[in-house]
Amino acid sequence: MNLSMRWLRDYVDINKDMDMREFCEAMTMSGSKVEGYEKEGAEVSGVVVGEILSVDKVENSDKLVVCQVNVGQEAPVQIVTGANNVFPGAKVPVALHGATLPGGVKIKRGKLRGVESNGMLCSIAELGVTVHDFPYAIEDGIFILQEPCEVGQDIHSAIGLDDVSVEFEITPNRADCLCVRGLALEASATFGKPCNAKEPQIRQESGDIADYLKVTVENQELCKCYHAKVVKNVKIEPSPRWLRERLRASGVRPINNLVDITNYVMLEYGNPMHAFDLRTIAGGEIVVRNAREGERIVTLDGVERVLSPEMLVICDKEKPSAVAGVMGGVSSGIMDDTTTVVFEAACFDGKSVRLTSRKLGLRSESSARFEKGLDPNQAMPALMRACELVEELHAGEVVGGVITNSFFDGEKKKITLDSDWINAFLGLDIPKEEMVRILRSLAFEVDGDVISVPTNRTDVETLADIAEEVVRIYGYNRVPSTALRGSAQARPTPAQKFESLVHDAALAMGCFEVQTYSFVSPKSYDKIRMPADSPLRRCVEIRNPLGEDTSVMRTTTIPSMLDVIAFNYNNRNPEGRFYEIGNEYIPHEDPSQLPDENAQLTIGLYGGDNDFYTLKGMAQSLLTRAGVRGWEIEPCADEPAFHPGRCGVIYAADGTQLGIIGEIHPLVADNFSIGGKCYVGRFPMAALMAASDMERKYVPLPRFPATTRDLSLLCDADLPVGHIEKAIRQAVGAVCESVKLFDVYQGAQIEAGKKSVSFSIVMRSREGTLTDEQADNAVRKVLSALEKMGVSLRAAG
């Protein structure tokens, strides 16, 4: 909501010299959050009103003229221009030497065709305004001022380009603040000044509205009220400058007096209005009903829209004229030759308006207000204000009478004032009289201990809400700091502790944490070569996605990590390590059940010295830090997203899958526009935690020396080294302290299809020093076990 400070001062006497930061801070502290403010014409400086004294042609030029311009200085200023609409006596905006214009344009003296020019005559575009702001101006010439102004006067004050627009962030529960009157009441309470809100008055009416119009409301649940007035002998013309200025400062483009009145009232009272040309209402009757299947309407934006039965529409005897609460139809709009106008002020059900707006893909200022739930009691004052403006602007004659249809309970909520409870609740000691003063400043009625809540304050329901109203005006900064009573009992859950441990482990391995969206495009599954019959292609679909790229909830985090790698790679970061703990969403067969949200640790790396073994080492470090013991890794060649020869699946001792690591398939990397090798690991957090054993046992330092034996073995080239290591550990038994692979060789001295692997075996007993015979016996057991696997001792030489 953009608020014109000039407009606000019509209601509250805010000092013009007040610092805007002070105003914004005070309003924010009292509950009306300010996003920022903008001074009109802030980019314009050094521009004044000038009067053209003479206009002469520049020699050797068909278009250029040289003007002598009085700008209030001792001597006239000479300016050369190519505009053809200048003449002696015209008052124009003059940008002097050193002036600045919108877009960072700086004006300097110079020469044109050898003639000195000490400034520039400005058009409306060069001042940042349009013909909608000044209808008498022309777009392709110098701005000839018709405003009452003085020579030498600053252009900001001369054309009213000196307002300040304050942007407020209005929360959905405060629809009452979506208007000037609502924010004026907040400012009145904040600064302790009276709010000069007057009731609209119509001084002269003629005729009877019953001779012009009839209104029937068929759906009284979705239309809480519908009021109408008729204006005859309408004169369509531009609005006066003061009205155009307020609309401009509020971010609304002026159009003509009738349309501007409806927009002005919407901004002032918060209740959207619509104006119909009476000629377009067939049969002279308005019917508020649900649309019929297949009915169509061309809205004011020129788009034909297909309606459905759940949508509320405003119709005449033949056709829809407007989509209720969303937008009017182009056929019933105000034309230049309109003579009789119907003003409508209504209140429609917020949920219905929102559903209609979403289904039509059409959002407007009107729908944005109705969606939040407006007060039906504001519709009639808004209608009367529009008619008052018609009289004030001499835009037509108001017809006597008003058509009213009300279907709501206008009773105010009652809350009992308990000052002792409020003080105990807030931890303050505010006198009851001060509470009553604050509530009355916010338009609450207080009679004894009974508070009557304004009907537009739908957010106030309990005494706690009353306490909030009191303290925000009293001042949050006046609430003393107090120690918490009692002791905090919150402790991290085991799952939270484990997640924190995983975070620490990933960071210690040099990874940067990332966060990606949980919703993805269905095409991301094609990019990772997921089979067409994969159950992971069955996703939770989003009903109202922002687009196809965010239309389903992901069932795997791999595409999200590859997007991160691709982004960094294509921004020329030479290498990167990333991790994320994010959810995958697996739907149930029963669509009424919520999907399973499975947390996954995903690690991604590329560039630099990173390779498959880097990722494997990171996985080993993670599992060790997480207390997972006895895990194994098996090669995997059937995961289409990974390189078939550089992928492994990690299993716990009981066979549970703990994760998958590997190099991304070149075709997948190419699908993500990654021009090099990249590696991804994915670990289900629940499985990691289930396999974790964080119990630590004390083991004394060894008292006896270790015995080491090195073995060089010959085996099939496709036999995983991990299988050999496992067999060695089992064969050595309890005295096995460690088994370390220190060499793998394939070459000319090894027969085809074979490889040589060398292990260092460290054995130690806690009961005494191992003898050579005991060590040799353990080696014989190893060789015997390996022989069953087709592994033999490599012959020397």
Side-chain angles (χ1 to χ4, degrees), residues 27-195:
M27 292 295 289
T28 298
M29 287 298 293
S30 67
S32 303
K33 183 183 177 184
V34 175
E35 286 290 295
Y37 66 91
E38 181 180 356
K39 294 182 179 179
E40 281 190 323
E43 293 184 292
V44 178
S45 66
V47 181
V48 299
V49 175
E51 182 179 5
I52 298 177
L53 301 177
S54 63
V55 179
D56 298 304
K57 287 189 175 182
V58 174
E59 293 183 9
N60 302 321
S61 175
D62 295 332
K63 295 183 178 181
L64 294 181
V65 295
V66 58
C67 302
Q68 301 297 324
V69 186
N70 178 15
V71 294
Q73 300 176 0
E74 292 184 3
V77 175
Q78 179 171 292
I79 297 177
V80 178
T81 179
N84 59 9
N85 67 322
V86 293
F87 56 89
K91 289 185 177 180
V92 295
V94 180
L96 301 174
H97 172 70
T100 59
L101 298 176
V105 177
K106 292 188 179 296
I107 304 302
K108 297 182 179 180
R109 61 172 58 97
K111 289 186 177 182
L112 293 174
R113 292 290 180 95
V115 179
E116 184 177 356
S117 181
N118 295 309
M120 184 178 78
L121 307 184
C122 300
S123 66
I124 56 172
E126 288 161 339
L127 295 176
V129 292
T130 68
V131 291
H132 295 285
D133 301 309
F134 298 93
Y136 62 81
I138 60 175
E139 289 185 301
D140 56 352
I142 299 303
F143 185 10
I144 307 299
L145 298 171
Q146 296 182 12
E147 315 297 315
C149 53
E150 300 294 331
V151 172
Q153 183 179 354
D154 185 86
I155 197 64
H156 294 89
S157 61
I159 65 173
L161 196 64
D162 54 355
D163 201 353
V164 178
S165 177
V166 182
E167 181 183 358
F168 287 87
E169 179 188 327
I170 308 300
T171 53
N173 65 323
R174 291 301 306 273
D176 60 295
C177 286
L178 282 171
C179 62
V180 175
R181 290 168 66 95
L183 289 173
L185 184 64
E186 292 293 311
S188 169
T190 300
F191 296 100
K193 297 189 176 184
C195 183

Side-chain angles (χ1 to χ4, degrees), residues 264-329:
Y264 187 91
V265 172
M266 178 184 69
L267 294 170
E268 188 174 33
Y269 280 76
N271 200 101
M273 292 188 59
H274 189 64
F276 297 97
D277 188 332
L278 184 62
R279 296 175 303 179
T280 66
I281 301 176
E285 181 177 0
I286 289 177
V287 181
V288 183
R289 61 170 173 81
N290 287 76
R292 299 189 177 96
E293 188 67 49
E295 273 190 316
R296 297 172 180 268
I297 183 174
V298 179
T299 47
L300 286 172
D301 57 357
V303 178
E304 185 180 57
R305 303 183 187 276
V306 180
L307 306 174
S308 53
E310 72 275 8
M311 299 177 183
L312 192 69
V313 291
I314 301 166
C315 308
D316 56 25
K317 282 290 188 181
E318 300 174 355
K319 62 188 181 305
S321 299
V323 182
V326 182
M327 187 174 285

Side-chain angles (χ1 to χ4, degrees), residues 415-418 421-426 439 444 451 457 459-472 476:
I415 299 175
T416 301
L417 175 61
D418 186 339
W421 185 91
I422 291 176
N423 278 323
F425 182 66
L426 298 175
L439 291 172
F444 290 80
I451 304 170
R457 292 301 305 274
D459 59 311
V460 178
E461 297 181 347
T462 66
L463 192 57
D465 298 322
I466 295 294
E468 181 184 359
E469 295 298 298
V470 169
V471 72
R472 71 184 181 89
Y476 290 119

Side-chain angles (χ1 to χ4, degrees), residues 1-8 36-41 128-129 133 160-168 180 241-254 264 267:
M1 173 70 189
N2 292 331
L3 176 67
S4 159
M5 288 299 295
R6 184 176 292 148
W7 201 346
L8 175 65
Y37 66 91
E38 181 180 356
K39 294 182 179 179
E40 281 190 323
V129 292
D133 301 309
L161 196 64
D162 54 355
D163 201 353
V164 178
S165 177
V166 182
E167 181 183 358
F168 287 87
V180 175
R241 170 177 152 177
W242 64 266
L243 194 150
R244 299 197 308 269
E245 287 177 356
R246 281 160 172 70
L247 291 180
R248 182 180 67 223
S250 302
V252 177
R253 186 184 71 180
Y264 187 91
L267 294 170

Side-chain angles (χ1 to χ4, degrees), residues 255-272:
I255 298 176
N256 60 51
N257 53 357
L258 266 296
V259 176
D260 291 350
I261 284 173
T262 61
N263 288 331
Y264 187 91
V265 172
M266 178 184 69
L267 294 170
E268 188 174 33
Y269 280 76
N271 200 101

Side-chain angles (χ1 to χ4, degrees), residues 111 136 169 192 195 231 237 287 405 409 437 479 505 566 649 673 706 723:
K111 289 186 177 182
Y136 62 81
E169 179 188 327
C195 183
V231 178
E237 57 188 11
V287 181
N405 293 271
D409 179 10
R437 184 197 68 78
V479 178
V649 178
S673 301
H723 291 183

